[in-house]
Amino acid sequence: MARTLTTTDNPWTAVVKMALNYKELVYKPLPSSATSYPTFQDLYVKCDNPVVILEYLDERHPYLPILPATIETRLFARYLMHNLLHNQTQTIQEIMTFPALDRIAPNTHRPTCVDFCLAALVPHLYNNAWRGIRREYL
């Protein structure tokens, strides 16, 4: 069974596409007019939760990991992705007003799932620092 991704107008589609392209995984895009979350299918696994898809990609294809290296940063990445998925507007507001925002910088040499989420979901950050990551992996 081929690896497929049902693409939608939802910005989470861009997050999953960037992760797949970064990991150099071949997939067949299946366009959809829906605005729901993208649906990913690989072998016998089918999922429409983008956070779970990113976790699955890292577990199934550990080459070029997208989850951060340390347990503390993985915890923060999961927290941020979960909050973006369930309360995107409020989380984006919190990111934009976070006092240490200048310490959150894109990593173009080894981007993580957080880089992909910020590049796709936070327009103000995308227009500045994350533009290169989005352009390179979409």
Side-chain angles (χ1 to χ4, degrees):
M1 185 178 293
R3 191 178 300 123
T4 62
L5 177 67
T6 303
T7 59
T8 68
D9 290 336
N10 190 298
W12 281 97
T13 298
V15 174
V16 176
K17 285 171 69 176
M18 283 188 270
L20 286 164
N21 292 336
Y22 173 70
K23 286 183 160 291
E24 301 173 346
L25 297 173
V26 176
Y27 64 95
K28 179 180 179 182
L30 302 174
S32 171
S33 60
T35 57
S36 60
Y37 294 123
T39 302
F40 176 77
Q41 185 162 358
D42 185 19
L43 301 172
Y44 301 105
V45 174
K46 186 174 183 178
C47 182
D48 65 354
N49 182 315
V51 173
V52 175
I53 294 169
L54 295 174
E55 295 261 358
Y56 170 80
L57 290 174
D58 233 28
E59 292 288 328
R60 180 90 169 108
H61 307 281
Y63 175 70
L64 296 172
I66 57 174
L67 284 171
T70 67
I71 193 167
E72 295 84 7
T73 53
R74 281 194 308 274
L75 175 69
F76 175 71
R78 288 181 176 116
Y79 172 78
L80 178 64
M81 290 188 305
H82 177 78
N83 283 356
L84 281 169
L85 183 66
H86 295 290
N87 197 354
Q88 186 171 325
T89 305
Q90 180 181 346
T91 306
I92 289 172
Q93 294 284 337
E94 290 173 6
I95 291 170
M96 296 306 294
T97 59
F98 187 62
L101 187 60
D102 57 342
R103 285 186 262 159
I104 301 173
N107 181 351
T108 53
H109 299 294
R110 189 194 174 289
T112 66
C113 50
V114 173
D115 290 305
F116 299 139
C117 287
L118 293 176
L121 301 172
V122 187
H124 297 91
L125 291 177
Y126 162 70
N127 288 332
N128 298 319
W130 272 267
R131 182 182 302 269
I133 287 175
R134 184 174 174 132
R135 185 178 300 135
E136 184 172 352
Y137 296 109
L138 269 183

